[in-house]
């Protein structure tokens, strides 16, 4: 397994931008809880603390997709360097306003400015991977690695923020996010060699005026993913608050952070295991199965009666988190154009963050009335909503976008739309080179495979299987295969194996 990850990290520049990305992502797990801990301690009001944190999250939800659109158009460094500067200064200003007992409106103003300019480094890192790697199996491994690193950030971040805020100083929990934002962010943006090229200015219409860009949320598939990720985020937010309440009721409040860390550890381990194998089951099906498994697992939380039992259940249920997030992010490439990839990913990440805040708020209200059991009921309700949204939208998730350049042989019945997302699960041959390249040849029909997984480490360097097609670059640059501009992959495993044509050599 380690060899699989070593292979992708050995690519020029990969270890550097992935490592910088981890540091730059520390704010995503520390700023929200850091704001709450600081303001509650200094002002003695959970209501004010929650409101200021909500203002930060809302500003991030509204503005991050717009920043991502600018990144796709003008480049990561050109857009994010000034945005990062503003965000860091605003976060320091928020700390000063809180500690100096400035008017309350200044807390809201600085929190909104932080959220509006902080962006999404998770999306930027994944966009770089799709630029650096062309082998779909390597891309699958890279995106699984990043999901595992996300979980690591959520294991370390809240515990670190809580410890600093309670043991050092109320504002200390926000010092690490500022340092991570500045050091990790600028280190990441300084690595220009691996930066995806910008799409450039908008094309001009017949009247010479720039053509208005249509939001990626005009895609039905993106709307489905956004709704599911809001519900998934609500699961996580409600779980966090309910677990703290459960631990307090059990007289073991100090164990709340440990149990939540165990939850994230289960997810991190599953993400690493998931990325070490090449999955041939259709991507949309894997996403649906993962969501159902996660929903069933978290529904068990209402039945636990001790902290030990809760920790065991959370560790096992955590194994459903990272693969589901990987598959959800991977589906984005089926619904957005390749030059809008960062924007699409940011919408999904933002939806998750909105869900976390919403779940925390609703669960908190229920806990005030019914205790931790009421909070876990919110978890169950959120899980049910996520499952209903996925199952009701399987047709949309399966079909993806019909691309006019797909050969006639790959019709709508080829695993939905054009074989799983407009380009044969986005790929060249579904067990072949990608989930995001050129469409299969005429007559290549999708067939279910008897086998669910193939060892990724056994994949040839080119990543081809049933069809000998030159791998295409999964980035913002023109494709090598005839300059095609089909959507790019995200986790990019082959999702299902195609029945070989007469002149094809069956995959091993």
């Amino acid at each position: 397994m380690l060899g699989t990850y070593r292979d992708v990290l050995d690519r020029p520049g990969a270890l550097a931008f992935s490592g910088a990305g981890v540091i730059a992502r520390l704010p995503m797990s520390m700023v929200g809880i850091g704001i709450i801990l600081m303001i509650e301690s200094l002002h003695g009001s959970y209501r004010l603390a929650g409101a200021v944190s909500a203002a930060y999250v809302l500003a991030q939800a509204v503005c991050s997709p717009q920043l991502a659109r600018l990144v796709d158009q003008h480049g990561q460094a050109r857009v994010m360097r000034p945005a990062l500067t503003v965000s860091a200064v605003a976060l320091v200003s928020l700390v000063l306003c809180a500690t100096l007992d400035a008017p309350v409106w200044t807390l809201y103003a600085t929190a909104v400015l932080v959220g509006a300019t902080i962006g999404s480094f998770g999306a930027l890192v994944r966009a770089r991977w799709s630029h650096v790697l062309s082998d779909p199996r390597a891309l699958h491994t890279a995106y699984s690695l990043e999901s595992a690193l996300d979980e690591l950030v959520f294991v370390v971040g809240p515990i670190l923020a809580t410890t600093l805020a309670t043991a050092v100083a109320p504002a200390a929990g926000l010092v690490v996010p500022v340092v991570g934002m500045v050091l990790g962010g600028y280190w990441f943006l300084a690595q220009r060699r691996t930066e995806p090229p910008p799409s450039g200015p908008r094309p001009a219409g017949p009247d010479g005026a720039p053509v208005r860009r249509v939001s990626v949320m005009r895609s039905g598939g993106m709307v489905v993913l956004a709704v599911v990720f809001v519900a998934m985020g609500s699961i996580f937010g409600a779980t966090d608050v309910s677990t703290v309440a459960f631990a307090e009721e059990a007289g073991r409040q100090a164990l709340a952070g440990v149990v939540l860390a165990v939850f994230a550890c289960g997810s991190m381990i599953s993400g690493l295991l998931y990325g070490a194998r090449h999955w041939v089951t259709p991507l949309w099906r894997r996403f649906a199965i993962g969501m159902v498994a996660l929903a069933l697992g978290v529904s068990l939380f209402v039945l636990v009666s001790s902290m030990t039992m809760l920790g065991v259940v959370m560790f096992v249920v955590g194994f459903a988190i990272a693969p589901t997030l990987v598959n959800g992010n991977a589906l984005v490439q089926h619904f957005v154009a390749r030059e809008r990839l960062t924007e699409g990913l940011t919408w999904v990440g933002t939806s998750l963050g909105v869900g976390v805040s919403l779940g925390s708020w609703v669960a908190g209200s229920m806990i005030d009335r019914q205790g931790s059991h009421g909070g876990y009921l919110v978890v169950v309700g959120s899980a049910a909503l996520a499952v209903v949204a996925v199952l009701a939208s399987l047709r949309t998730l399966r079909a993806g976008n019909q691309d006019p350049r797909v050969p006639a042989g790959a019709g709508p019945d080829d695993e939905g739309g054009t074989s799983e997302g407009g380009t044969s699960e986005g790929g060249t041959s579904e067990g072949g080179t990608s989930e995001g390249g050129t469409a299969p040849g005429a007559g290549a029909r999708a067939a279910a495979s008897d086998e669910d997984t193939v060892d990724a480490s056994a994949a040839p360097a080119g990543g081809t299987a049933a069809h000998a097609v030159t791998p295409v670059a999964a980035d913002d640059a023109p494709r090598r295969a005839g300059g095609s501009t089909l959507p790019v992959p995200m986790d990019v495993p082959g999702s299902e194996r195609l029945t070989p044509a007469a002149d094809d050599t069956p995959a091993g």
Side-chain angles (χ1 to χ4, degrees):
M1 182 180 75
L2 294 179
T4 304
Y5 288 100
R6 187 165 48 246
D7 287 343
V8 296
L9 291 173
D10 281 344
R11 309 299 172 94
L15 180 60
F17 76 71
S18 183
V22 173
I23 299 173
R25 275 178 282 182
L26 282 174
M28 76 179 184
S29 68
M30 298 183 69
V31 171
I33 190 172
I35 290 174
I36 290 174
L37 292 170
M38 177 182 69
I39 294 179
E40 192 282 328
S41 177
L42 295 175
H43 290 262
S45 171
Y46 273 110
R47 181 178 181 181
L48 176 61
V52 174
S53 181
Y56 157 76
V57 172
L58 182 61
Q60 185 179 19
V62 172
C63 297
S64 286
Q66 313 312 318
L67 268 179
R69 180 181 296 188
L70 293 174
V71 165
D72 281 332
Q73 187 173 351
H74 301 289
Q76 294 182 351
R78 184 177 177 185
V79 173
M80 288 308 300
R81 275 178 178 162
L84 198 60
T85 301
V86 173
S87 189
V89 171
L91 188 53
V92 171
S93 300
L94 173 60
V95 170
L96 292 175
C97 289
T99 54
L100 297 177
D101 199 23
V104 170
W105 69 264
T106 62
L107 303 178
Y108 287 103
T110 50
V112 167
L113 192 55
V114 174
T117 54
I118 198 168
S120 173
F121 271 90
L124 299 181
V125 172
R126 287 170 172 84
R128 291 211 180 199
W129 276 119
S130 66
H131 173 62
V132 169
L133 299 175
S134 58
D135 178 2
R137 299 184 182 188
L139 279 165
H140 166 60
T141 300
Y143 285 114
S144 297
L145 172 64
E146 293 303 327
S147 288
L149 293 175
D150 282 343
E151 295 304 327
L152 176 63
V153 168
F154 277 101
V155 169
V156 175
I159 295 177
L160 184 58
T162 302
T163 301
L164 291 173
T166 55
V168 180
L174 291 175
V175 172
V176 173
V178 172
V179 173
M181 185 188 303
V182 173
L183 294 184
Y186 283 112
W187 178 24
F188 179 87
L189 296 172
Q191 300 173 45
R192 303 302 293 273
R193 182 175 60 172
T194 54
E195 181 180 352
S199 62
R202 291 178 291 172
D207 58 353
V211 176
R212 183 176 179 272
R213 289 181 182 268
V214 177
S215 171
V216 297
M217 295 306 292
R218 293 289 294 274
S219 163
M222 284 299 300
V223 172
V224 171
L225 289 177
V227 170
V228 173
F229 270 71
V230 167
M232 201 185 312
S234 181
I235 291 174
F236 301 146
T239 296
D240 289 350
V241 176
S242 302
T243 300
V244 172
F246 184 83
E248 186 174 356
E249 291 168 359
R252 309 288 295 275
Q253 189 172 6
L255 290 180
V258 175
V259 171
L260 291 173
V262 167
F263 193 29
C265 279
S267 177
M268 182 173 65
I269 293 170
S270 71
L272 292 172
L273 294 174
Y274 186 75
R277 303 192 71 83
H278 173 59
W279 298 81
V280 294
T281 305
L283 182 60
W284 61 271
R285 188 176 298 160
R286 277 181 277 144
F287 180 63
I289 292 172
M291 193 64 254
V292 171
L294 178 61
L296 291 175
V298 299
S299 296
L300 297 176
F301 295 166
V302 296
L303 304 178
V304 300
S305 57
S306 70
M307 291 298 293
T308 301
M309 184 184 299
L310 181 62
V312 172
V313 172
M314 281 192 165
F315 179 74
V316 175
V317 174
F319 274 70
I321 297 175
T324 306
L325 292 175
V326 169
N327 294 332
N329 281 319
L331 283 168
V332 172
Q333 61 91 16
H334 296 305
F335 304 108
V336 303
R338 64 185 180 87
E339 65 271 12
R340 309 289 294 279
L341 184 58
T342 307
E343 182 183 351
L345 284 170
T346 302
W347 271 110
V348 168
T350 297
S351 298
L352 192 70
V354 169
V356 169
S357 295
L358 182 63
S360 299
W361 174 65
V362 177
S365 300
M366 290 293 290
I367 290 169
D368 286 340
R369 288 181 295 214
Q370 302 180 25
S372 62
H373 182 77
Y376 283 131
L377 289 178
V378 176
V379 174
V380 174
S382 301
L385 175 61
V387 170
V388 169
V390 167
L391 297 183
S393 308
L394 285 180
R395 192 178 191 87
T396 300
L397 295 175
R398 180 178 179 178
N401 290 323
Q402 176 72 40
D403 193 288
R405 289 162 294 193
V406 175
D413 56 341
D414 289 353
E415 270 304 320
T418 56
S419 291
E420 198 54 39
T423 58
S424 75
E425 181 82 27
T428 56
S429 67
E430 285 298 0
T433 60
S434 81
E435 270 180 27
T438 57
R445 298 287 176 180
S449 171
D450 295 336
E451 151 182 75
D452 281 337
T453 64
V454 177
D455 189 347
S457 63
T464 59
H467 295 266
V469 180
T470 302
V472 292
D475 54 34
D476 287 336
R479 303 256 180 189
R480 292 196 295 270
S484 170
T485 55
L486 295 177
V488 298
M490 284 309 305
D491 82 327
V492 213
S495 66
E496 59 185 326
R497 191 162 290 161
L498 294 178
T499 303
D503 57 345
D504 286 332
T505 302

